[in-house]
Amino acid sequence: MNNWRKLSDLKIGESAVIEEFSDDFLSLKFLEMGCLPGESITLERIAPMGDPIIVNVSGYLMTMRKSEAKTILVSYLGSA
């Protein structure tokens, strides 16, 4: 049994490793943007209304909708 969570479930400052994607169409978009399985990802900020979110992947900041973040499955690493 794995201990995977959705990226959208992380709290600000928490980090995780990308494991896989649950949406084939969005996974292509994420792969092109550098969100590769095995990359560490940190939730940096959440907009005042809760959407979108800003994550740090490979040293750059990326904005995505929470609905998109729900399709990224990650293994939790902890708080930064």
Coordinates of all heavy atoms in Angstrom, one line a residue:
M1 N 0.8 -1.2 0.0 CA 0.0 0.0 0.0 C 0.9 1.2 0.0 O 1.8 1.3 0.8 CB -0.9 0.0 1.2 CG -1.8 1.1 1.3 SD -3.0 0.9 2.7 CE -3.5 2.6 2.9
N2 N 0.6 2.2 -0.9 CA 1.4 3.4 -1.0 C 0.8 4.4 0.0 O -0.3 4.3 0.4 CB 1.5 3.9 -2.4 CG 0.1 4.2 -3.0 OD1 -0.7 4.8 -2.3 ND2 -0.1 3.8 -4.2
N3 N 1.6 5.5 0.2 CA 1.2 6.6 1.1 C 1.1 7.8 0.3 O 1.5 8.9 0.7 CB 2.3 6.7 2.2 CG 1.8 7.6 3.3 OD1 0.7 7.9 3.4 ND2 2.8 8.2 4.0
W4 N 0.5 7.7 -0.9 CA 0.3 8.8 -1.8 C -0.8 9.7 -1.4 O -1.9 9.3 -0.9 CB 0.2 8.4 -3.3 CG 1.4 7.6 -3.8 CD1 2.6 7.5 -3.2 CD2 1.5 6.9 -5.0 NE1 3.4 6.8 -3.9 CE2 2.8 6.4 -5.1 CE3 0.6 6.7 -6.0 CZ2 3.2 5.7 -6.2 CZ3 1.0 6.0 -7.1 CH2 2.3 5.5 -7.2
R5 N -0.7 11.0 -1.7 CA -1.7 12.0 -1.5 C -1.8 12.8 -2.8 O -1.0 12.7 -3.7 CB -1.3 13.0 -0.4 CG -1.1 12.3 0.9 CD -0.3 13.1 1.9 NE -0.9 14.3 2.2 CZ -0.5 15.2 3.2 NH1 0.6 14.9 3.8 NH2 -1.1 16.3 3.5
K6 N -2.9 13.6 -2.9 CA -3.0 14.5 -4.0 C -2.2 15.8 -3.7 O -2.1 16.2 -2.5 CB -4.5 14.9 -4.2 CG -5.3 13.7 -4.6 CD -6.8 14.2 -4.7 CE -7.6 12.9 -5.0 NZ -9.1 13.2 -4.9
L7 N -1.6 16.4 -4.7 CA -0.8 17.6 -4.5 C -1.7 18.7 -3.9 O -1.3 19.5 -3.0 CB -0.3 18.1 -5.8 CG 0.4 19.4 -5.8 CD1 1.7 19.4 -4.9 CD2 0.8 19.8 -7.2
S8 N -3.0 18.7 -4.2 CA -3.9 19.7 -3.7 C -4.1 19.6 -2.2 O -4.6 20.5 -1.5 CB -5.3 19.6 -4.4 OG -5.8 18.4 -4.2
D9 N -3.7 18.5 -1.6 CA -3.9 18.3 -0.1 C -2.8 18.8 0.7 O -2.9 18.8 1.9 CB -4.1 16.8 0.2 CG -5.3 16.2 -0.4 OD1 -6.3 17.0 -0.6 OD2 -5.4 15.0 -0.6
L10 N -1.7 19.2 0.0 CA -0.5 19.8 0.8 C -0.9 21.1 1.4 O -1.7 21.8 0.9 CB 0.7 19.9 -0.1 CG 1.3 18.7 -0.7 CD1 2.6 19.0 -1.5 CD2 1.7 17.7 0.4
K11 N -0.2 21.4 2.5 CA -0.3 22.8 3.1 C 0.9 23.6 2.7 O 1.9 23.0 2.3 CB -0.4 22.6 4.6 CG -1.7 21.9 5.0 CD -1.8 21.8 6.5 CE -3.1 21.1 7.0 NZ -3.9 20.4 6.1
I12 N 0.8 24.9 2.9 CA 1.9 25.8 2.5 C 3.2 25.3 3.3 O 3.2 25.1 4.5 CB 1.6 27.2 2.9 CG1 0.4 27.7 2.0 CG2 2.8 28.1 2.7 CD1 -0.1 29.1 2.3
G13 N 4.3 25.2 2.5 CA 5.6 24.8 3.1 C 5.8 23.3 3.1 O 6.9 22.9 3.3
E14 N 4.8 22.5 2.8 CA 5.0 21.1 2.7 C 5.6 20.7 1.4 O 5.2 21.2 0.3 CB 3.7 20.4 3.0 CG 3.2 20.5 4.4 CD 2.0 19.7 4.8 OE1 1.2 19.4 3.8 OE2 1.8 19.4 5.9
S15 N 6.4 19.6 1.4 CA 7.0 19.1 0.2 C 6.7 17.7 0.0 O 6.3 17.0 0.9 CB 8.6 19.2 0.3 OG 9.0 20.6 0.4
A16 N 6.8 17.3 -1.3 CA 6.4 15.9 -1.7 C 7.2 15.6 -2.9 O 7.8 16.4 -3.6 CB 4.9 15.8 -1.9
V17 N 7.2 14.3 -3.3 CA 7.8 13.9 -4.6 C 6.6 13.4 -5.5 O 5.7 12.7 -5.1 CB 8.7 12.7 -4.3 CG1 9.2 12.1 -5.6 CG2 9.9 13.1 -3.4
I18 N 6.7 13.9 -6.7 CA 5.7 13.5 -7.7 C 5.8 12.0 -8.0 O 6.9 11.5 -8.4 CB 5.8 14.3 -9.0 CG1 5.7 15.8 -8.7 CG2 4.8 13.9 -10.1 CD1 6.0 16.7 -9.9
E19 N 4.7 11.3 -7.9 CA 4.7 9.9 -8.2 C 4.0 9.5 -9.5 O 4.6 8.8 -10.3 CB 4.0 9.1 -7.0 CG 4.6 9.2 -5.7 CD 6.0 8.6 -5.6 OE1 6.3 7.7 -6.5 OE2 6.8 8.9 -4.7
E20 N 2.8 10.0 -9.7 CA 2.1 9.8 -11.0 C 1.0 10.7 -11.2 O 0.7 11.5 -10.3 CB 1.7 8.3 -11.1 CG 0.6 7.9 -10.1 CD 0.2 6.5 -10.4 OE1 1.0 5.6 -10.6 OE2 -1.1 6.2 -10.2
F21 N 0.4 10.6 -12.4 CA -0.7 11.5 -12.7 C -2.0 10.7 -12.9 O -1.9 9.6 -13.5 CB -0.4 12.3 -14.0 CG 0.9 13.1 -13.9 CD1 2.0 12.5 -14.4 CD2 1.0 14.3 -13.2 CE1 3.3 13.2 -14.3 CE2 2.2 14.9 -13.1 CZ 3.3 14.4 -13.7
S22 N -3.1 11.2 -12.5 CA -4.4 10.5 -12.7 C -5.1 10.9 -13.9 O -6.2 10.3 -14.3 CB -5.3 10.6 -11.5 OG -5.6 12.0 -11.3
D23 N -4.7 12.0 -14.6 CA -5.3 12.5 -15.9 C -4.3 12.4 -17.0 O -3.3 13.2 -16.9 CB -5.9 13.9 -15.6 CG -6.6 14.4 -16.8 OD1 -6.0 14.6 -17.9 OD2 -7.9 14.6 -16.7
D24 N -4.6 11.6 -18.0 CA -3.6 11.5 -19.1 C -3.4 12.8 -19.9 O -2.3 13.2 -20.3 CB -4.1 10.4 -20.1 CG -4.0 9.0 -19.5 OD1 -3.2 8.9 -18.6 OD2 -4.7 8.1 -20.0
F25 N -4.5 13.6 -20.1 CA -4.4 14.8 -20.9 C -3.5 15.8 -20.1 O -2.6 16.4 -20.6 CB -5.8 15.4 -21.2 CG -5.7 16.7 -21.9 CD1 -5.4 16.8 -23.3 CD2 -6.0 17.9 -21.2 CE1 -5.3 18.0 -23.9 CE2 -5.9 19.1 -21.9 CZ -5.6 19.1 -23.2
L26 N -3.9 16.0 -18.8 CA -3.1 17.0 -18.0 C -1.7 16.5 -17.8 O -0.8 17.4 -17.6 CB -3.8 17.2 -16.7 CG -5.1 18.1 -16.8 CD1 -5.7 18.2 -15.4 CD2 -4.7 19.5 -17.3
S27 N -1.5 15.2 -17.7 CA -0.1 14.7 -17.4 C 0.9 15.2 -18.5 O 2.0 15.5 -18.3 CB -0.1 13.2 -17.3 OG -0.4 12.6 -18.5
L28 N 0.4 15.3 -19.8 CA 1.2 15.7 -20.9 C 1.6 17.2 -20.6 O 2.8 17.6 -20.8 CB 0.5 15.6 -22.2 CG 0.4 14.2 -22.7 CD1 -0.4 14.2 -24.0 CD2 1.7 13.5 -22.9
K29 N 0.7 18.0 -20.2 CA 0.9 19.4 -19.9 C 2.0 19.5 -18.8 O 2.9 20.3 -18.9 CB -0.4 20.1 -19.5 CG -0.2 21.5 -19.1 CD -1.6 22.0 -18.6 CE -1.4 23.4 -17.9 NZ -2.7 23.9 -17.4
F30 N 1.8 18.8 -17.8 CA 2.7 18.8 -16.6 C 4.1 18.3 -17.0 O 5.1 18.9 -16.6 CB 2.2 18.0 -15.4 CG 0.9 18.6 -14.8 CD1 -0.1 17.8 -14.6 CD2 0.9 19.9 -14.5 CE1 -1.3 18.3 -14.0 CE2 -0.3 20.5 -14.0 CZ -1.4 19.7 -13.7
L31 N 4.2 17.3 -17.8 CA 5.5 16.8 -18.2 C 6.2 17.8 -19.0 O 7.4 18.0 -18.9 CB 5.3 15.5 -19.0 CG 4.8 14.3 -18.2 CD1 4.5 13.1 -19.1 CD2 5.9 13.8 -17.2
E32 N 5.5 18.5 -19.9 CA 6.1 19.6 -20.7 C 6.6 20.7 -19.9 O 7.6 21.4 -20.3 CB 5.1 20.1 -21.8 CG 4.9 19.1 -22.9 CD 3.8 19.5 -23.8 OE1 3.1 20.6 -23.6 OE2 3.6 18.8 -24.8
M33 N 6.0 20.9 -18.7 CA 6.4 22.0 -17.9 C 7.4 21.6 -16.8 O 7.8 22.4 -15.9 CB 5.1 22.6 -17.2 CG 4.1 23.2 -18.2 SD 2.5 23.6 -17.5 CE 3.0 24.9 -16.4
G34 N 7.9 20.4 -16.9 CA 9.0 19.9 -16.0 C 8.5 19.2 -14.7 O 9.3 18.9 -13.9
C35 N 7.2 18.9 -14.6 CA 6.7 18.1 -13.5 C 6.9 16.7 -13.8 O 5.9 16.0 -14.3 CB 5.2 18.5 -13.2 SG 4.9 20.1 -12.6
L36 N 8.0 16.1 -13.5 CA 8.3 14.8 -13.9 C 8.2 13.9 -12.6 O 8.5 14.3 -11.5 CB 9.7 14.7 -14.4 CG 10.0 15.5 -15.6 CD1 11.5 15.5 -15.9 CD2 9.2 15.1 -16.8
P37 N 7.8 12.6 -12.8 CA 7.8 11.7 -11.7 C 9.2 11.6 -11.1 O 10.2 11.6 -11.8 CB 7.4 10.4 -12.3 CG 6.5 10.8 -13.5 CD 7.2 12.0 -14.0
G38 N 9.3 11.7 -9.8 CA 10.5 11.7 -9.1 C 11.0 13.1 -8.7 O 11.9 13.3 -7.8
E39 N 10.4 14.2 -9.3 CA 10.8 15.6 -8.9 C 10.2 15.9 -7.6 O 9.0 15.5 -7.3 CB 10.2 16.6 -9.9 CG 11.0 16.7 -11.2 CD 12.4 17.3 -11.0 OE1 12.6 18.1 -10.0 OE2 13.3 17.0 -11.8
S40 N 10.9 16.7 -6.8 CA 10.3 17.2 -5.5 C 9.5 18.4 -5.8 O 9.8 19.2 -6.8 CB 11.4 17.5 -4.5 OG 12.2 18.5 -4.9
I41 N 8.4 18.6 -5.1 CA 7.5 19.8 -5.3 C 7.1 20.3 -4.0 O 6.9 19.6 -3.0 CB 6.3 19.3 -6.2 CG1 5.5 20.5 -6.6 CG2 5.5 18.3 -5.5 CD1 4.5 20.1 -7.8
T42 N 7.1 21.6 -3.8 CA 6.7 22.3 -2.6 C 5.6 23.3 -2.8 O 5.6 24.0 -3.8 CB 7.9 23.1 -2.0 OG1 9.0 22.2 -1.8 CG2 7.6 23.7 -0.7
L43 N 4.6 23.2 -2.0 CA 3.5 24.2 -2.1 C 4.0 25.5 -1.4 O 4.3 25.6 -0.2 CB 2.2 23.7 -1.3 CG 1.0 24.6 -1.4 CD1 0.6 24.9 -2.8 CD2 -0.1 24.1 -0.6
E44 N 4.1 26.6 -2.2 CA 4.6 27.8 -1.8 C 3.5 28.8 -1.3 O 3.6 29.5 -0.3 CB 5.4 28.5 -2.9 CG 6.6 27.7 -3.3 CD 7.7 27.8 -2.3 OE1 7.8 28.7 -1.5 OE2 8.6 26.9 -2.3
R45 N 2.4 28.9 -2.1 CA 1.4 29.9 -1.8 C 0.0 29.4 -2.3 O 0.0 28.6 -3.2 CB 1.7 31.3 -2.5 CG 3.0 31.9 -2.0 CD 3.2 33.2 -2.7 NE 4.6 33.5 -2.6 CZ 5.3 34.0 -3.6 NH1 4.8 34.3 -4.7 NH2 6.6 34.3 -3.4
I46 N -1.0 30.0 -1.6 CA -2.4 29.7 -2.0 C -3.1 31.0 -2.2 O -2.9 31.9 -1.3 CB -3.1 28.8 -1.0 CG1 -2.4 27.5 -0.8 CG2 -4.6 28.6 -1.4 CD1 -3.0 26.6 0.3
A47 N -3.8 31.3 -3.3 CA -4.5 32.5 -3.5 C -5.5 32.7 -2.4 O -6.0 31.8 -1.8 CB -5.2 32.5 -4.9
P48 N -5.9 34.0 -2.1 CA -6.8 34.3 -1.0 C -8.1 33.5 -1.1 O -8.7 33.1 0.0 CB -7.1 35.8 -1.2 CG -5.8 36.3 -1.8 CD -5.4 35.2 -2.7
M49 N -8.6 33.2 -2.2 CA -9.9 32.5 -2.3 C -9.6 31.0 -2.4 O -10.5 30.2 -2.7 CB -10.7 32.9 -3.6 CG -11.1 34.4 -3.5 SD -12.1 34.8 -2.1 CE -13.7 34.1 -2.6
G50 N -8.4 30.5 -2.3 CA -8.0 29.1 -2.2 C -7.7 28.5 -3.6 O -7.3 27.3 -3.7
D51 N -7.7 29.3 -4.6 CA -7.4 28.8 -6.0 C -7.0 30.0 -6.8 O -7.7 31.0 -6.8 CB -8.6 28.1 -6.6 CG -8.3 27.2 -7.7 OD1 -7.1 26.8 -7.9 OD2 -9.3 26.8 -8.4
P52 N -5.9 30.0 -7.6 CA -5.0 28.9 -7.8 C -3.9 28.7 -6.7 O -4.0 29.5 -5.7 CB -4.3 29.3 -9.1 CG -4.3 30.8 -9.0 CD -5.6 31.1 -8.3
I53 N -3.0 27.8 -6.9 CA -1.9 27.6 -6.0 C -0.6 27.8 -6.7 O -0.5 27.7 -7.9 CB -1.9 26.2 -5.3 CG1 -1.7 25.1 -6.4 CG2 -3.2 26.0 -4.6 CD1 -1.6 23.7 -5.8
I54 N 0.5 28.1 -5.9 CA 1.8 28.3 -6.5 C 2.7 27.2 -5.9 O 2.8 27.1 -4.7 CB 2.4 29.7 -6.3 CG1 1.5 30.7 -6.9 CG2 3.8 29.8 -6.8 CD1 1.9 32.1 -6.6
V55 N 3.4 26.4 -6.8 CA 4.3 25.4 -6.3 C 5.7 25.6 -6.9 O 5.8 26.3 -7.9 CB 3.8 24.0 -6.8 CG1 2.5 23.6 -6.2 CG2 3.7 23.9 -8.3
N56 N 6.7 25.1 -6.2 CA 8.0 25.2 -6.6 C 8.5 23.8 -7.1 O 8.4 22.9 -6.3 CB 8.9 25.6 -5.4 CG 10.4 25.9 -5.8 OD1 10.9 25.3 -6.7 ND2 11.0 26.8 -5.1
V57 N 8.8 23.8 -8.4 CA 9.3 22.5 -9.0 C 10.6 22.8 -9.7 O 10.7 23.7 -10.5 CB 8.3 22.0 -10.1 CG1 8.7 20.7 -10.7 CG2 6.9 21.9 -9.5
S58 N 11.6 22.1 -9.3 CA 13.0 22.2 -9.9 C 13.5 23.7 -9.8 O 14.1 24.1 -10.8 CB 12.9 21.8 -11.4 OG 12.5 20.5 -11.5
G59 N 13.1 24.4 -8.8 CA 13.7 25.7 -8.6 C 12.9 26.8 -9.3 O 13.3 28.0 -9.2
Y60 N 11.8 26.5 -9.9 CA 11.0 27.6 -10.5 C 9.6 27.5 -9.9 O 9.1 26.4 -9.5 CB 11.0 27.6 -12.0 CG 10.3 26.5 -12.7 CD1 8.9 26.6 -13.0 CD2 10.9 25.3 -13.0 CE1 8.3 25.6 -13.6 CE2 10.2 24.3 -13.6 CZ 8.9 24.4 -13.9 OH 8.2 23.4 -14.5
L61 N 8.9 28.7 -9.9 CA 7.5 28.7 -9.4 C 6.5 28.5 -10.5 O 6.7 29.1 -11.6 CB 7.3 30.1 -8.7 CG 8.2 30.3 -7.5 CD1 7.8 31.7 -7.0 CD2 8.0 29.3 -6.4
M62 N 5.5 27.7 -10.3 CA 4.5 27.4 -11.3 C 3.1 27.6 -10.6 O 2.9 27.1 -9.5 CB 4.7 26.0 -11.8 CG 3.8 25.6 -12.9 SD 4.3 24.0 -13.6 CE 3.4 22.9 -12.6
T63 N 2.2 28.2 -11.3 CA 0.9 28.4 -10.9 C 0.0 27.3 -11.5 O 0.1 27.1 -12.7 CB 0.3 29.8 -11.2 OG1 1.2 30.7 -10.6 CG2 -1.1 30.0 -10.7
M64 N -0.9 26.7 -10.8 CA -1.9 25.8 -11.3 C -3.2 25.9 -10.5 O -3.2 26.3 -9.4 CB -1.3 24.4 -11.3 CG -1.1 23.7 -10.0 SD -0.6 22.0 -10.0 CE 1.0 22.2 -10.7
R65 N -4.2 25.5 -11.2 CA -5.5 25.4 -10.5 C -5.5 24.2 -9.6 O -4.9 23.2 -9.8 CB -6.7 25.3 -11.5 CG -6.8 26.5 -12.5 CD -8.0 26.4 -13.3 NE -8.1 27.5 -14.2 CZ -8.5 28.7 -13.9 NH1 -8.9 28.9 -12.7 NH2 -8.6 29.6 -14.9
K66 N -6.4 24.4 -8.5 CA -6.5 23.3 -7.6 C -7.0 22.0 -8.2 O -6.6 20.9 -7.9 CB -7.3 23.7 -6.4 CG -6.7 23.4 -5.1 CD -7.5 24.0 -3.9 CE -6.8 23.5 -2.7 NZ -7.4 24.1 -1.5
S67 N -7.9 22.2 -9.2 CA -8.5 21.0 -9.9 C -7.4 20.3 -10.7 O -7.4 19.1 -10.8 CB -9.6 21.4 -10.9 OG -9.1 22.3 -11.8
E68 N -6.4 21.0 -11.2 CA -5.2 20.4 -11.8 C -4.4 19.7 -10.8 O -3.9 18.6 -11.1 CB -4.4 21.4 -12.6 CG -5.2 22.0 -13.8 CD -4.5 23.2 -14.4 OE1 -3.7 23.9 -13.7 OE2 -4.7 23.4 -15.6
A69 N -4.1 20.3 -9.7 CA -3.3 19.7 -8.6 C -3.9 18.4 -8.1 O -3.1 17.6 -7.6 CB -3.1 20.7 -7.5
K70 N -5.2 18.3 -8.2 CA -5.8 17.1 -7.7 C -5.5 15.8 -8.5 O -5.6 14.7 -8.1 CB -7.3 17.2 -7.7 CG -7.8 18.1 -6.5 CD -9.3 18.2 -6.6 CE -9.8 19.2 -5.4 NZ -11.2 19.4 -5.5
T71 N -4.9 16.1 -9.7 CA -4.6 15.0 -10.6 C -3.1 14.5 -10.5 O -2.7 13.6 -11.1 CB -4.8 15.4 -12.1 OG1 -3.9 16.4 -12.5 CG2 -6.2 15.9 -12.3
I72 N -2.4 15.2 -9.6 CA -1.0 14.9 -9.4 C -0.9 14.1 -8.0 O -1.2 14.7 -7.0 CB -0.1 16.1 -9.3 CG1 -0.2 16.9 -10.7 CG2 1.4 15.7 -9.0 CD1 0.6 18.2 -10.7
L73 N -0.4 12.9 -8.1 CA -0.3 12.1 -6.9 C 1.1 12.2 -6.4 O 2.1 12.0 -7.2 CB -0.7 10.6 -7.2 CG -2.1 10.5 -7.7 CD1 -2.4 9.0 -8.0 CD2 -3.1 11.0 -6.7
V74 N 1.3 12.4 -5.1 CA 2.7 12.7 -4.6 C 2.8 11.8 -3.3 O 1.9 11.4 -2.6 CB 2.8 14.2 -4.2 CG1 2.8 15.0 -5.5 CG2 1.8 14.6 -3.2
S75 N 4.1 11.6 -3.0 CA 4.4 11.0 -1.7 C 5.0 12.1 -0.8 O 5.9 12.9 -1.2 CB 5.4 9.9 -1.8 OG 6.6 10.3 -2.4
Y76 N 4.4 12.2 0.4 CA 4.7 13.3 1.3 C 6.1 13.3 1.9 O 6.6 12.2 2.3 CB 3.7 13.3 2.4 CG 3.8 14.4 3.5 CD1 3.5 15.7 3.1 CD2 4.2 14.1 4.8 CE1 3.6 16.7 4.1 CE2 4.3 15.1 5.7 CZ 4.0 16.4 5.4 OH 4.1 17.4 6.3
L77 N 6.8 14.4 1.9 CA 8.2 14.5 2.4 C 8.2 15.2 3.8 O 9.1 14.9 4.6 CB 9.1 15.2 1.5 CG 9.5 14.5 0.2 CD1 10.4 15.3 -0.7 CD2 10.2 13.2 0.5
G78 N 7.3 16.2 4.0 CA 7.3 16.9 5.2 C 7.3 18.4 5.0 O 7.2 18.9 3.9
S79 N 7.5 19.2 6.1 CA 7.5 20.6 6.0 C 8.9 21.1 5.7 O 9.9 20.6 6.2 CB 6.9 21.2 7.2 OG 5.6 20.8 7.4
A80 N 9.0 22.2 5.0 CA 10.3 22.9 4.7 C 10.7 23.7 5.9 O 10.0 24.1 6.8 CB 10.2 23.7 3.5

